[in-house]
């Protein structure tokens, strides 16, 4: 199909996407670290295929629903990096996936590990630990008890994982990557001390990625860093990564194409609002999104269908002109869209809204 | 269909919804003001039907795409309260709607009015003016020139409208409602002075609603207030309205049902994150959403699939327990969901994602 000429829509530059995929894969390969990209960023099986073809060992998802979409499209190695609550329905769904793929799900408590008993022989678990982001994840020192609870019931323990989400702050990446490595090391150590092999130490986020790879090569005292990383955003980049210095503007592969609809108040008002871009605005963000072709401009006000742009003194684009907007958080923007326009072709966002 | 037992999902209490619809309609009726609800909040034709059956004169939408969904489902009177950029494709789509419904679209500039020329005889325009929110909308004093530009080309001018969105701030409603009334009065006056009838003065938002209705009855000096109001959120309510004091907790008709998935860090972590609730967080908001049954609790951290709740000293709900979360901004939450569960029945969010 040809691209929609109607704005707003999300446009992907396939060459930039491939370059991002290859660049990060090559960096991981050089460091001897496996890449298991988080596909919640793009939610498109064909993009996961590009990542796997480039050398990724498998994919990461956040929900069983996402796993179902990607396994249906041929992905055969999936980590659900989330402490899934295993009620009867989710046990049934997870077991159905295991017929077609190697599936591992997260647990972050002894009780959670025990609830995984029905998965024995079909699906493994990985123990989520908290490396400082303070979201889900047990303290690393307690990972052994969780692993033991699973192993005692016969559930395969695949390793430990953490999400160093506190790397989403200016200048935070080096320290956060060190915390990630330390947490994974401690967790793996206590798991092994409990008599359980721990072949996987999985970490990673896009902002901490480079620092994590560096720390693997240069760790003093021999503490092993992550041997697997799970970045998501790197395939596209977004305004957060741009502003944090982790993704160059010229490598940004996804933009929202919007139209100037008004010059009210002497500013450009675009039709790409929060229902297109998402409403994420981190404390460090300089606005509600950026304009790729006007780096000095800022989106100073965002409504559902309006983005009010301060052009910082530059002349206003004409009413009717199209502009390329870089969302603050690309995962949120993608999850609002039914399709991406990749090099002019409409591609369904197959896992959009698969929150369960 | 029976309701999904899998969280997270959005649940609507139909009795509360109906009570909200009836209460606001009755208040508008008492004030002699027409109600034209903004359906971008719910995006469900069956809910628009409840509003119309209660006495609404028509519906408001933000996009031509939303209009198409609702006209397809039998809505026959639609205001697109947005300065739609009328390229050839949108002209074609708007004219197609006019075969089945009375359609009026927004314009907020002389050039915009001129671009409406192809709509002559089929679709009317309304002039958007800025009453202080400083988004789209021309200065009220210039509304006459815009109306004249349309009328000179033969395009029907239906009136003037404004969105007093600056009412989304604590204590702002009375002053904002007065600004809304003054802006509509000035705009209507200059339109009439230009020799063009101005039968519609349309305003309204949920936070300013009560103040706008009050001002209509009690205006000193006889300045006419809005004669039509376009609130959206009032059908459900949300945490923003709760915190601003414009919607009582016991009248909230939509919640996200989430499950406690972790007690990491001694807090309750829910599976309803920003991909379910939306990421809106206004400056005045006390968190990323509220718990309907724990008014003291706050969502202190929000990720795509995690809401970290501080229970303010109350005992933690057990892992596996379900809780009712009130999104900060219900329009954003609804636009993330493929369906609402209304009194146990799954109802498609028919206009979800219709941003064009």
């Amino acid at each position: 199909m040809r691209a929609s000429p109607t704005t707003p829509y999300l446009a992907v530059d396939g060459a930039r996407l491939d370059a991002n995929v290859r660049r990060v894969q090559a960096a991981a390969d050089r460091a001897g670290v496996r890449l298991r990209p988080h596909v919640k960023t793009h939610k498109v099986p064909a993009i996961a295929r590009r990542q796997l073809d480039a050398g990724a060992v498998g994919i990461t998802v956040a929900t069983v629903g996402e796993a179902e979409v990607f396994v249906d499209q041929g992905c055969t190695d999936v980590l659900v990096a989330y402490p899934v609550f295993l009620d009867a329905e989710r046990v049934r769904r997870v077991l159905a996936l295991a017929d077609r793929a190697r599936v591992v799900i997260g647990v972050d408590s002894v009780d959670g590990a025990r609830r995984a008993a029905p998965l024995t022989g079909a699906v493994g678990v990985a123990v989520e630990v908290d490396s400082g982001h303070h979201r889900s994840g047990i303290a690393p020192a307690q990972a052994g008890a969780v692993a033991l609870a699973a192993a005692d019931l016969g559930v395969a323990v695949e390793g430990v994982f953490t999400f160093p989400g506190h790397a989403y702050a200016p200048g935070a990446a080096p320290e956060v990557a060190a915390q990630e490595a330390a947490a994974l090391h401690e967790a793996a150590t206590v798991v092994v001390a409990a008599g359980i092999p721990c072949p996987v130490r999985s970490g990673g986020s896009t902002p901490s990625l480079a620092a994590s790879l560096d720390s693997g090569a240069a760790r003093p005292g021999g503490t092993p860093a992550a041997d697997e990383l799970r970045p998501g955003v790197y395939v596209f980049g977004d305004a957060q990564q741009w502003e944090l210095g982790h993704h160059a503007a010229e490598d940004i592969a996804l933009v929202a194409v919007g139209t100037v609809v008004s010059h009210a108040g002497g500013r450009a008002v675009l039709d790409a609002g929060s229902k297109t871009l998402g409403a994420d605005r981190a404390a460090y963000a300089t606005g509600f999104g950026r304009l790729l072709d006007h780096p000095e401009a800022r989106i100073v006000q965002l409504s559902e269908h309006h983005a009010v742009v301060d052009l910082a003194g530059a002349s206003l684009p004409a009413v009717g002109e199209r502009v390329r907007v870089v969302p603050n958080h690309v995962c949120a923007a993608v999850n609002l869209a039914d399709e991406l326009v990749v090099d002019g072709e409409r591609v369904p966002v197959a896992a959009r809204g698969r929150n369960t």
Side-chain angles (χ1 to χ4, degrees), chain A residues 247-264:
Chain A
H247 201 102
E250 57 267 28
D251 295 332
I252 289 172
L254 182 148
V255 294
V257 181
T259 296
V260 180
V261 297
S262 175
H263 280 173

Side-chain angles (χ1 to χ4, degrees), chain A residues 112-151:
Chain A
R114 290 179 180 149
R115 279 189 295 270
L119 307 183
T120 301
V123 171
V125 298
V127 180
E128 184 181 12
V129 299
D130 179 10
S131 53
H133 186 43
H134 305 323
R135 193 173 71 175
S136 50
I138 200 163
Q142 298 170 34
V146 178
L148 201 57

